[in-house]
Amino acid sequence: MNEAINELKAGLAAIGYLADDNLAAALYLAENLEKPLLLEGPAGVGKTELAKAWSRLRGCQLIRLQCYEGLDESKALYEWNYQKQLLYIQIEALAERGWENGRQQIFDQEFLLKRPLLTALTSTEPVVLLIDEIDKSDQEFESFLLEALSDWQVTIPELGTIKAATRPHVVLTSNSTRELGDALRRRCLHFHIDYPDFERELAIVEINVPDVDRKFASQLVEFIQNIRKQPLKKPPSVTESIDWVQSMNILGGELTADAARATLTALLKYTKDRDLIADKLPYLIKP
């Protein structure tokens, strides 16, 4: 493995994010090729946390664009500060200059309310732009992003083309609730983050619950790994694993059917999933 990739992996670990070799390599390439990194995988496996860790590691501001159905460019890119424009129109200086000069003045960056995407592109300092859950937006918004992610510029009709002052580091996340378009994928490096294996999840748990006994933590992680093999509507995420280990640790540090049943609300977020696992607890918990 490249020494620089190992350094990046170690740097992430030092601030609490445990990346495997392949993920560290993908992040290293995204950084050095100046390409967006598209992370796909189940909810709660660390996609968003990677962007946060990257920004902390590089000492950059994190700018987050949370996607949702109906998101459009006025929420992602910019909108005009109409109240400030109206105030400017009323001042005596505008009357002296005439409407044409005034019109040019009010459509100036001074009156622009920058949203996350434009903020990232116009920043003079490197930033990490997190476009979170891109799969929740619609295809029209996905198409809107193409210019920004390929040419590092956006077009505002009243101002023209605005090019990036400094290329941001970009992370896009997707829970795969819909298929993303080929055009977006071509502009990104791609990596799929899945649920961690036993050893890595145990390490993550120990970082986040430092007072838990290692043997007890191993039992709990093994239980979680077995639960994910069950036909659940939503398998427990890494975040939920941490919450459950903390809950079990508070209840006395012993894996019993009663303790597990009492804390399943921290691990499973659907009633049918909890009922399914509660019925199987005698088989899932080894004496």
Side-chain angles (χ1 to χ4, degrees):
M1 184 64 68
N2 184 292
E3 183 178 346
I5 296 176
N6 286 331
E7 289 178 1
L8 176 59
K9 181 180 174 182
L12 291 171
I15 57 175
Y17 190 93
L18 300 182
D20 61 22
D21 291 342
N22 293 332
L23 179 55
L27 186 62
Y28 177 79
L29 291 173
E31 190 171 57
N32 286 273
L33 293 173
E34 296 184 321
K35 299 271 286 183
L37 178 60
L38 172 59
L39 299 174
E40 289 191 289
V45 293
K47 303 184 297 296
T48 299
E49 289 303 315
L50 178 61
K52 294 178 180 179
W54 195 8
S55 69
R56 293 198 304 272
L57 181 64
R58 297 306 184 212
C60 296
Q61 178 188 3
L62 177 70
I63 298 175
R64 182 172 182 169
L65 173 60
Q66 179 63 51
C67 297
Y68 54 88
E69 186 177 353
L71 176 65
D72 59 23
E73 63 183 76
S74 68
K75 300 300 182 185
L77 187 60
Y78 76 98
E79 63 180 326
W80 291 106
N81 189 334
Y82 296 113
Q83 290 84 0
K84 192 173 181 180
Q85 287 175 322
L86 289 171
L87 182 62
Y88 182 83
I89 288 172
Q90 294 174 21
I91 66 173
E92 185 176 354
L94 179 59
E96 294 175 354
R97 293 171 183 164
W99 169 247
E100 186 57 32
N101 286 333
R103 185 188 66 79
Q104 294 174 4
Q105 290 293 322
I106 64 173
F107 288 109
D108 184 79
Q109 290 204 37
E110 178 186 353
F111 301 99
L112 205 62
L113 294 173
K114 296 180 181 179
R115 299 309 185 194
L117 184 57
L118 188 59
T119 299
L121 289 175
T122 56
S123 173
T124 56
E125 299 293 331
V127 300
V128 173
L129 172 62
L130 168 62
I131 304 176
D132 211 11
E133 298 183 308
I134 181 63
D135 54 317
K136 288 188 176 179
S137 66
D138 52 35
Q139 292 182 345
E140 287 76 13
F141 181 74
E142 187 181 314
S143 299
F144 159 72
L145 285 177
L146 299 182
E147 180 185 14
L149 297 182
S150 59
D151 300 327
W152 302 104
Q153 65 181 34
V154 291
T155 300
I156 297 176
E158 298 87 351
L159 296 178
T161 299
I162 297 179
K163 293 184 177 292
T166 302
R167 286 193 180 187
H169 305 306
V170 182
V171 174
L172 301 94
T173 73
S174 170
N175 297 334
S176 301
T177 58
R178 72 169 176 87
E179 189 68 27
L180 300 177
D182 291 341
L184 180 67
R185 290 180 179 276
R186 283 197 303 271
R187 286 160 172 78
C188 305
L189 299 183
H190 176 268
F191 192 86
H192 184 272
I193 300 182
D194 209 340
Y195 296 111
D197 60 21
F198 175 83
E199 292 298 333
R200 195 155 73 89
E201 188 158 20
L202 177 59
I204 292 170
V205 163
E206 289 182 316
I207 285 177
N208 288 277
V209 194
D211 59 335
V212 68
D213 176 76
R214 182 176 178 81
K215 182 178 179 180
F216 182 49
S218 298
Q219 290 178 317
L220 298 181
V221 171
E222 182 180 4
F223 178 83
I224 294 165
Q225 298 263 322
N226 287 333
I227 277 186
R228 290 200 185 108
K229 298 174 184 176
Q230 306 302 314
L232 301 174
K233 180 174 182 179
K234 182 190 177 299
S237 68
V238 175
T239 301
E240 289 156 351
S241 297
I242 294 168
D243 290 344
W244 186 64
V245 171
Q246 290 175 327
S247 300
M248 290 292 291
N249 204 37
I250 289 171
L251 290 187
E254 185 179 359
L255 179 56
T256 65
D258 288 342
R261 189 175 291 105
T263 55
L264 281 179
T265 53
L267 191 62
L268 301 168
K269 301 307 168 69
Y270 288 91
T271 301
K272 288 184 178 180
D273 287 348
R274 290 196 296 271
D275 291 344
L276 174 67
I277 297 303
D279 291 341
K280 293 187 175 183
L281 283 176
Y283 308 101
L284 292 170
I285 296 177
K286 299 176 182 178

